[in-house]
Amino acid sequence: MKKYLSIILSALAALMPGWISAKSNSTDPYKDYDETRFMDMSLDENILTPAVRKNEHAAIKTYMTRLAQDLAKKNYIVDMTRNDEVVVVTVLSDDIFLPNDTLLSPSAPSRLTPILKLFSDPFMMKMVYSVHTDNTGSAPYNMRLSHERNNSIYDWMLDNINEDLIVIPYEMGDTDPVAANDTRDGRRENRRVEIFMIPGPKMITLARKGQLLK
């Protein structure tokens, strides 16, 4: 009996390195899903993380495309990025702030709440958002305006989201215009908040299991 047991243990020991290697090669979407890690990333790096594998892409693309279509029907400015895995919602600053003000306007919650409701499950999506200004005024002034507006948005969100939801903000000032700043309409387009809806570990897991429905 001891002889057979020894043979079995020897066989398991020989297989163990390969088993460990195979297990370590699998991707765990919940691994390192921690806010402190994302805080150290650039905006572009955050948009790319967590990554989606090939066998998860089609389901996530379908889910996010339908989500984008639903938001567009509610008159939001919507785009998609990262090969249609990430939804980008643009909220004009004029819709949630008074001119040159840093406090959310009374109408801001009605514009932001429908977006926040989509993050009710904190592991379904990660939220990254960037606050932009036009180039009226000096660069330091615009960065300060972006910073103070971000604080207002972030404080309001903390009172209205699940504490486990990962939210990563960026303050861009006038560094990333989407239109010319030499017209009133162009400046209005540049004063904006871009909200990135990024697949989280639960969405990735459901996609891998073929259970992601929308």
PDB file of all heavy atoms in Angstrom, residues 85-109:
ATOM      1  N   GLU A  85     -15.740  48.327 -26.726  1.00  0.00           N
ATOM      2  CA  GLU A  85     -15.908  47.704 -25.408  1.00  0.00           C
ATOM      3  C   GLU A  85     -16.204  48.733 -24.322  1.00  0.00           C
ATOM      4  O   GLU A  85     -16.638  48.362 -23.225  1.00  0.00           O
ATOM      5  CB  GLU A  85     -14.637  46.934 -25.020  1.00  0.00           C
ATOM      6  CG  GLU A  85     -14.354  45.723 -25.905  1.00  0.00           C
ATOM      7  CD  GLU A  85     -12.992  45.104 -25.620  1.00  0.00           C
ATOM      8  OE1 GLU A  85     -12.202  45.694 -24.864  1.00  0.00           O
ATOM      9  OE2 GLU A  85     -12.728  44.026 -26.186  1.00  0.00           O
ATOM     10  N   VAL A  86     -15.964  50.004 -24.628  1.00  0.00           N
ATOM     11  CA  VAL A  86     -16.133  51.080 -23.636  1.00  0.00           C
ATOM     12  C   VAL A  86     -17.075  52.141 -24.187  1.00  0.00           C
ATOM     13  O   VAL A  86     -16.910  52.603 -25.321  1.00  0.00           O
ATOM     14  CB  VAL A  86     -14.770  51.718 -23.286  1.00  0.00           C
ATOM     15  CG1 VAL A  86     -14.953  52.948 -22.410  1.00  0.00           C
ATOM     16  CG2 VAL A  86     -13.872  50.698 -22.599  1.00  0.00           C
ATOM     17  N   VAL A  87     -18.058  52.515 -23.391  1.00  0.00           N
ATOM     18  CA  VAL A  87     -19.003  53.579 -23.753  1.00  0.00           C
ATOM     19  C   VAL A  87     -18.495  54.887 -23.160  1.00  0.00           C
ATOM     20  O   VAL A  87     -18.074  54.942 -22.002  1.00  0.00           O
ATOM     21  CB  VAL A  87     -20.417  53.271 -23.224  1.00  0.00           C
ATOM     22  CG1 VAL A  87     -21.357  54.445 -23.492  1.00  0.00           C
ATOM     23  CG2 VAL A  87     -20.965  52.000 -23.862  1.00  0.00           C
ATOM     24  N   VAL A  88     -18.540  55.946 -23.970  1.00  0.00           N
ATOM     25  CA  VAL A  88     -18.147  57.282 -23.521  1.00  0.00           C
ATOM     26  C   VAL A  88     -19.363  58.196 -23.595  1.00  0.00           C
ATOM     27  O   VAL A  88     -19.933  58.401 -24.667  1.00  0.00           O
ATOM     28  CB  VAL A  88     -17.017  57.867 -24.391  1.00  0.00           C
ATOM     29  CG1 VAL A  88     -16.510  59.166 -23.773  1.00  0.00           C
ATOM     30  CG2 VAL A  88     -15.893  56.863 -24.591  1.00  0.00           C
ATOM     31  N   VAL A  89     -19.767  58.724 -22.454  1.00  0.00           N
ATOM     32  CA  VAL A  89     -20.901  59.649 -22.388  1.00  0.00           C
ATOM     33  C   VAL A  89     -20.355  61.047 -22.114  1.00  0.00           C
ATOM     34  O   VAL A  89     -19.621  61.256 -21.148  1.00  0.00           O
ATOM     35  CB  VAL A  89     -21.892  59.252 -21.283  1.00  0.00           C
ATOM     36  CG1 VAL A  89     -23.103  60.186 -21.300  1.00  0.00           C
ATOM     37  CG2 VAL A  89     -22.337  57.809 -21.443  1.00  0.00           C
ATOM     38  N   THR A  90     -20.710  61.988 -22.982  1.00  0.00           N
ATOM     39  CA  THR A  90     -20.280  63.372 -22.794  1.00  0.00           C
ATOM     40  C   THR A  90     -21.433  64.207 -22.252  1.00  0.00           C
ATOM     41  O   THR A  90     -22.519  64.240 -22.843  1.00  0.00           O
ATOM     42  CB  THR A  90     -19.793  63.984 -24.117  1.00  0.00           C
ATOM     43  OG1 THR A  90     -18.659  63.239 -24.584  1.00  0.00           O
ATOM     44  CG2 THR A  90     -19.377  65.436 -23.921  1.00  0.00           C
ATOM     45  N   VAL A  91     -21.190  64.845 -21.122  1.00  0.00           N
ATOM     46  CA  VAL A  91     -22.165  65.756 -20.518  1.00  0.00           C
ATOM     47  C   VAL A  91     -21.568  67.156 -20.607  1.00  0.00           C
ATOM     48  O   VAL A  91     -20.478  67.410 -20.074  1.00  0.00           O
ATOM     49  CB  VAL A  91     -22.454  65.386 -19.052  1.00  0.00           C
ATOM     50  CG1 VAL A  91     -23.447  66.374 -18.446  1.00  0.00           C
ATOM     51  CG2 VAL A  91     -22.971  63.960 -18.946  1.00  0.00           C
ATOM     52  N   LEU A  92     -22.250  68.062 -21.290  1.00  0.00           N
ATOM     53  CA  LEU A  92     -21.745  69.422 -21.412  1.00  0.00           C
ATOM     54  C   LEU A  92     -21.770  70.108 -20.054  1.00  0.00           C
ATOM     55  O   LEU A  92     -22.752  70.013 -19.308  1.00  0.00           O
ATOM     56  CB  LEU A  92     -22.574  70.208 -22.422  1.00  0.00           C
ATOM     57  CG  LEU A  92     -22.544  69.676 -23.866  1.00  0.00           C
ATOM     58  CD1 LEU A  92     -23.421  70.544 -24.764  1.00  0.00           C
ATOM     59  CD2 LEU A  92     -21.119  69.620 -24.408  1.00  0.00           C
ATOM     60  N   SER A  93     -20.693  70.809 -19.755  1.00  0.00           N
ATOM     61  CA  SER A  93     -20.613  71.493 -18.458  1.00  0.00           C
ATOM     62  C   SER A  93     -21.731  72.511 -18.283  1.00  0.00           C
ATOM     63  O   SER A  93     -22.208  72.735 -17.160  1.00  0.00           O
ATOM     64  CB  SER A  93     -19.254  72.187 -18.313  1.00  0.00           C
ATOM     65  OG  SER A  93     -18.208  71.239 -18.269  1.00  0.00           O
ATOM     66  N   ASP A  94     -22.168  73.118 -19.390  1.00  0.00           N
ATOM     67  CA  ASP A  94     -23.258  74.092 -19.307  1.00  0.00           C
ATOM     68  C   ASP A  94     -24.560  73.462 -18.829  1.00  0.00           C
ATOM     69  O   ASP A  94     -25.456  74.175 -18.356  1.00  0.00           O
ATOM     70  CB  ASP A  94     -23.483  74.753 -20.671  1.00  0.00           C
ATOM     71  CG  ASP A  94     -22.341  75.668 -21.070  1.00  0.00           C
ATOM     72  OD1 ASP A  94     -21.330  75.715 -20.327  1.00  0.00           O
ATOM     73  OD2 ASP A  94     -22.432  76.324 -22.120  1.00  0.00           O
ATOM     74  N   ASP A  95     -24.667  72.136 -18.946  1.00  0.00           N
ATOM     75  CA  ASP A  95     -25.876  71.439 -18.505  1.00  0.00           C
ATOM     76  C   ASP A  95     -25.862  71.131 -17.018  1.00  0.00           C
ATOM     77  O   ASP A  95     -26.911  70.810 -16.441  1.00  0.00           O
ATOM     78  CB  ASP A  95     -26.050  70.129 -19.282  1.00  0.00           C
ATOM     79  CG  ASP A  95     -26.380  70.360 -20.749  1.00  0.00           C
ATOM     80  OD1 ASP A  95     -26.815  71.477 -21.094  1.00  0.00           O
ATOM     81  OD2 ASP A  95     -26.208  69.419 -21.553  1.00  0.00           O
ATOM     82  N   ILE A  96     -24.679  71.210 -16.388  1.00  0.00           N
ATOM     83  CA  ILE A  96     -24.611  70.850 -14.966  1.00  0.00           C
ATOM     84  C   ILE A  96     -23.930  71.916 -14.101  1.00  0.00           C
ATOM     85  O   ILE A  96     -23.917  71.796 -12.872  1.00  0.00           O
ATOM     86  CB  ILE A  96     -23.890  69.492 -14.769  1.00  0.00           C
ATOM     87  CG1 ILE A  96     -22.491  69.514 -15.374  1.00  0.00           C
ATOM     88  CG2 ILE A  96     -24.720  68.357 -15.358  1.00  0.00           C
ATOM     89  CD1 ILE A  96     -21.691  68.236 -15.124  1.00  0.00           C
ATOM     90  N   PHE A  97     -23.371  72.952 -14.741  1.00  0.00           N
ATOM     91  CA  PHE A  97     -22.777  74.062 -13.999  1.00  0.00           C
ATOM     92  C   PHE A  97     -23.290  75.390 -14.556  1.00  0.00           C
ATOM     93  O   PHE A  97     -23.534  75.505 -15.761  1.00  0.00           O
ATOM     94  CB  PHE A  97     -21.244  74.059 -14.123  1.00  0.00           C
ATOM     95  CG  PHE A  97     -20.565  72.918 -13.422  1.00  0.00           C
ATOM     96  CD1 PHE A  97     -20.150  71.804 -14.141  1.00  0.00           C
ATOM     97  CD2 PHE A  97     -20.326  72.960 -12.059  1.00  0.00           C
ATOM     98  CE1 PHE A  97     -19.510  70.754 -13.516  1.00  0.00           C
ATOM     99  CE2 PHE A  97     -19.692  71.910 -11.412  1.00  0.00           C
ATOM    100  CZ  PHE A  97     -19.289  70.792 -12.150  1.00  0.00           C
ATOM    101  N   LEU A  98     -23.409  76.381 -13.692  1.00  0.00           N
ATOM    102  CA  LEU A  98     -23.668  77.728 -14.160  1.00  0.00           C
ATOM    103  C   LEU A  98     -22.358  78.315 -14.693  1.00  0.00           C
ATOM    104  O   LEU A  98     -21.272  77.841 -14.340  1.00  0.00           O
ATOM    105  CB  LEU A  98     -24.225  78.581 -13.020  1.00  0.00           C
ATOM    106  CG  LEU A  98     -25.584  78.129 -12.462  1.00  0.00           C
ATOM    107  CD1 LEU A  98     -25.984  79.008 -11.280  1.00  0.00           C
ATOM    108  CD2 LEU A  98     -26.661  78.158 -13.540  1.00  0.00           C
ATOM    109  N   PRO A  99     -22.408  79.325 -15.552  1.00  0.00           N
ATOM    110  CA  PRO A  99     -21.188  79.881 -16.142  1.00  0.00           C
ATOM    111  C   PRO A  99     -20.156  80.281 -15.087  1.00  0.00           C
ATOM    112  O   PRO A  99     -20.463  80.986 -14.120  1.00  0.00           O
ATOM    113  CB  PRO A  99     -21.694  81.105 -16.912  1.00  0.00           C
ATOM    114  CG  PRO A  99     -23.098  80.762 -17.270  1.00  0.00           C
ATOM    115  CD  PRO A  99     -23.622  79.989 -16.094  1.00  0.00           C
ATOM    116  N   ASN A 100     -18.924  79.773 -15.265  1.00  0.00           N
ATOM    117  CA  ASN A 100     -17.788  80.074 -14.379  1.00  0.00           C
ATOM    118  C   ASN A 100     -18.003  79.653 -12.928  1.00  0.00           C
ATOM    119  O   ASN A 100     -17.257  80.068 -12.045  1.00  0.00           O
ATOM    120  CB  ASN A 100     -17.442  81.568 -14.428  1.00  0.00           C
ATOM    121  CG  ASN A 100     -16.943  81.986 -15.791  1.00  0.00           C
ATOM    122  OD1 ASN A 100     -16.104  81.323 -16.386  1.00  0.00           O
ATOM    123  ND2 ASN A 100     -17.477  83.090 -16.300  1.00  0.00           N
ATOM    124  N   ASP A 101     -19.025  78.837 -12.702  1.00  0.00           N
ATOM    125  CA  ASP A 101     -19.291  78.374 -11.342  1.00  0.00           C
ATOM    126  C   ASP A 101     -18.672  76.987 -11.148  1.00  0.00           C
ATOM    127  O   ASP A 101     -18.448  76.250 -12.110  1.00  0.00           O
ATOM    128  CB  ASP A 101     -20.798  78.324 -11.087  1.00  0.00           C
ATOM    129  CG  ASP A 101     -21.130  78.377  -9.599  1.00  0.00           C
ATOM    130  OD1 ASP A 101     -20.195  78.233  -8.780  1.00  0.00           O
ATOM    131  OD2 ASP A 101     -22.313  78.548  -9.268  1.00  0.00           O
ATOM    132  N   THR A 102     -18.411  76.649  -9.901  1.00  0.00           N
ATOM    133  CA  THR A 102     -17.806  75.348  -9.611  1.00  0.00           C
ATOM    134  C   THR A 102     -18.745  74.421  -8.850  1.00  0.00           C
ATOM    135  O   THR A 102     -18.396  73.267  -8.605  1.00  0.00           O
ATOM    136  CB  THR A 102     -16.521  75.536  -8.782  1.00  0.00           C
ATOM    137  OG1 THR A 102     -16.840  76.202  -7.559  1.00  0.00           O
ATOM    138  CG2 THR A 102     -15.502  76.353  -9.559  1.00  0.00           C
ATOM    139  N   LEU A 103     -19.914  74.930  -8.477  1.00  0.00           N
ATOM    140  CA  LEU A 103     -20.899  74.106  -7.788  1.00  0.00           C
ATOM    141  C   LEU A 103     -21.906  73.566  -8.791  1.00  0.00           C
ATOM    142  O   LEU A 103     -22.274  74.253  -9.750  1.00  0.00           O
ATOM    143  CB  LEU A 103     -21.619  74.916  -6.716  1.00  0.00           C
ATOM    144  CG  LEU A 103     -20.737  75.483  -5.599  1.00  0.00           C
ATOM    145  CD1 LEU A 103     -21.591  76.300  -4.635  1.00  0.00           C
ATOM    146  CD2 LEU A 103     -20.007  74.373  -4.865  1.00  0.00           C
ATOM    147  N   LEU A 104     -22.346  72.338  -8.581  1.00  0.00           N
ATOM    148  CA  LEU A 104     -23.338  71.751  -9.472  1.00  0.00           C
ATOM    149  C   LEU A 104     -24.610  72.590  -9.448  1.00  0.00           C
ATOM    150  O   LEU A 104     -25.062  73.036  -8.391  1.00  0.00           O
ATOM    151  CB  LEU A 104     -23.642  70.316  -9.054  1.00  0.00           C
ATOM    152  CG  LEU A 104     -22.533  69.286  -9.305  1.00  0.00           C
ATOM    153  CD1 LEU A 104     -22.902  67.942  -8.682  1.00  0.00           C
ATOM    154  CD2 LEU A 104     -22.267  69.120 -10.794  1.00  0.00           C
ATOM    155  N   SER A 105     -25.198  72.779 -10.592  1.00  0.00           N
ATOM    156  CA  SER A 105     -26.445  73.543 -10.690  1.00  0.00           C
ATOM    157  C   SER A 105     -27.606  72.697 -10.192  1.00  0.00           C
ATOM    158  O   SER A 105     -27.495  71.467 -10.088  1.00  0.00           O
ATOM    159  CB  SER A 105     -26.679  73.955 -12.140  1.00  0.00           C
ATOM    160  OG  SER A 105     -26.919  72.811 -12.947  1.00  0.00           O
ATOM    161  N   PRO A 106     -28.748  73.306  -9.889  1.00  0.00           N
ATOM    162  CA  PRO A 106     -29.909  72.536  -9.424  1.00  0.00           C
ATOM    163  C   PRO A 106     -30.375  71.484 -10.423  1.00  0.00           C
ATOM    164  O   PRO A 106     -30.961  70.468 -10.025  1.00  0.00           O
ATOM    165  CB  PRO A 106     -30.975  73.621  -9.229  1.00  0.00           C
ATOM    166  CG  PRO A 106     -30.198  74.865  -8.950  1.00  0.00           C
ATOM    167  CD  PRO A 106     -28.980  74.770  -9.808  1.00  0.00           C
ATOM    168  N   SER A 107     -30.107  71.692 -11.701  1.00  0.00           N
ATOM    169  CA  SER A 107     -30.553  70.734 -12.723  1.00  0.00           C
ATOM    170  C   SER A 107     -29.559  69.595 -12.940  1.00  0.00           C
ATOM    171  O   SER A 107     -29.855  68.634 -13.650  1.00  0.00           O
ATOM    172  CB  SER A 107     -30.779  71.457 -14.046  1.00  0.00           C
ATOM    173  OG  SER A 107     -29.575  72.056 -14.511  1.00  0.00           O
ATOM    174  N   ALA A 108     -28.377  69.680 -12.332  1.00  0.00           N
ATOM    175  CA  ALA A 108     -27.329  68.678 -12.565  1.00  0.00           C
ATOM    176  C   ALA A 108     -27.746  67.255 -12.188  1.00  0.00           C
ATOM    177  O   ALA A 108     -27.500  66.314 -12.954  1.00  0.00           O
ATOM    178  CB  ALA A 108     -26.058  69.079 -11.825  1.00  0.00           C
ATOM    179  N   PRO A 109     -28.376  67.029 -11.032  1.00  0.00           N
ATOM    180  CA  PRO A 109     -28.740  65.657 -10.673  1.00  0.00           C
ATOM    181  C   PRO A 109     -29.633  64.965 -11.703  1.00  0.00           C
ATOM    182  O   PRO A 109     -29.476  63.767 -11.949  1.00  0.00           O
ATOM    183  CB  PRO A 109     -29.465  65.826  -9.330  1.00  0.00           C
ATOM    184  CG  PRO A 109     -28.854  67.051  -8.744  1.00  0.00           C
ATOM    185  CD  PRO A 109     -28.632  67.965  -9.914  1.00  0.00           C
TER     186      PRO A 109
END
